[in-house]
Amino acid sequence: MPPQEIQEIYSHTVQQVLDLTGIFVFAVAGALTAVRKNFDVIGIVVLAEVTALGGGVIRDLIIGDVPPAAFRDLGYFITPLFAAFIVFFLHPQVERIYATIDIFDAAGLGLFCVTGTAKAFAYGLGPVQAAALGIVTAVGGGAIRDVLANEIPMLLRWDREIYTVPAMLGAGLVAALVETDTLNAITATCAAVFAFAFRVLALRYNWRAPRAWRRNSEVFEKYE
């Protein structure tokens, strides 16, 4: 199905700059994970690439936008390599500013959950399915990274600040905006800022998602 007009929220240049910025920050996070795991240079590159591009590739394959955008635009593929190069040589310095990277990562999360949802709508998906793919766009790469690094994906861990919930809220807002025919550059930016702010607040105040109710029951005691 050919894409509809809804896909173009921002101008092509603005969209590309935002995408490359988000891809770069996600790639840095992936490369740092590889360094912490003592991976070699190939491992650093692989984790940088999958963290930055994995969610978008999954989305594009599902909606039928093939080859995925990450393989059509050389800039999308080269940017994670550049991030991996920086981390390979300068990882001690990058680690020292990791709190700042967390902020940019939150911005990438907010951006990708919005643009991913809008692109899924553009290819004919309904609001629930489109929002789900928006979430995948934002957190899918990180999940692949954690699996490859032999860790429980961050989106499943109760002992980490909530990560998926901000993406869910941002994607849900975009779905509502589309359904009410009010999605444009301003409202999309507001949705992205909302998801970003929610994630930053989660980092600041250590917000966690709730676990199963009545975990103190005898059923759970057997597994503690």
Side-chain angles (χ1 to χ4, degrees):
M1 178 180 296
Q4 305 165 15
E5 284 298 319
I6 193 175
Q7 184 180 347
E8 294 297 331
I9 299 175
Y10 307 104
S11 70
H12 176 73
T13 301
V14 171
Q15 181 71 54
Q16 191 167 44
V17 169
L18 292 173
D19 282 348
L20 291 177
T21 302
I23 285 170
F24 178 80
V25 175
F26 279 6
V28 168
L32 282 175
T33 298
V35 171
R36 292 167 183 158
K37 287 288 185 175
N38 203 30
F39 288 0
D40 63 14
V41 63
I42 301 301
I44 294 172
V45 169
V46 168
L47 288 200
E49 290 282 357
V50 300
T51 306
L53 305 177
V57 169
I58 293 172
R59 175 205 62 213
D60 288 351
L61 290 175
I62 291 175
I63 64 178
D65 182 19
V66 291
F71 292 91
R72 296 197 307 268
D73 190 322
L74 185 60
Y76 287 9
F77 206 81
I78 292 297
T79 299
L81 294 178
F82 179 60
F85 177 84
I86 291 174
V87 172
F88 182 82
F89 288 104
L90 301 175
H91 60 88
Q93 292 84 348
V94 175
E95 285 279 11
R96 285 200 289 269
I97 62 169
Y98 198 73
T100 303
I101 292 174
D102 273 341
I103 300 300
F104 283 103
D105 180 84
L109 181 81
L111 170 68
F112 287 162
C113 73
V114 168
T115 57
T117 303
K119 184 170 183 178
F121 263 113
Y123 277 77
L125 272 64
V128 175
Q129 299 93 325
L133 282 188
I135 297 167
V136 168
T137 306
V139 306
I144 298 172
R145 172 201 64 206
D146 292 341
V147 170
L148 292 177
N150 198 29
E151 293 185 354
I152 298 174
M154 186 166 63
L155 61 90
L156 301 178
R157 293 180 59 174
W158 71 269
D159 59 336
R160 299 290 295 271
E161 300 85 358
I162 53 177
Y163 191 75
T164 308
V165 174
M168 293 172 62
L169 294 174
L173 278 174
V174 174
L177 291 169
V178 172
E179 288 295 288
T180 56
D181 198 27
T182 54
L183 182 67
N184 53 49
I186 295 175
T187 57
T189 300
C190 288
V193 168
F194 178 79
F196 163 74
F198 200 100
R199 171 61 178 162
V200 170
L201 289 173
L203 289 168
R204 174 65 178 82
Y205 295 106
N206 201 30
W207 290 349
R208 310 284 174 84
R211 290 192 286 172
W213 187 51
R214 297 178 62 187
R215 280 186 53 84
N216 293 327
S217 66
E218 293 181 0
V219 175
F220 282 102
E221 287 177 359
K222 295 188 297 183
Y223 302 99
E224 295 292 346

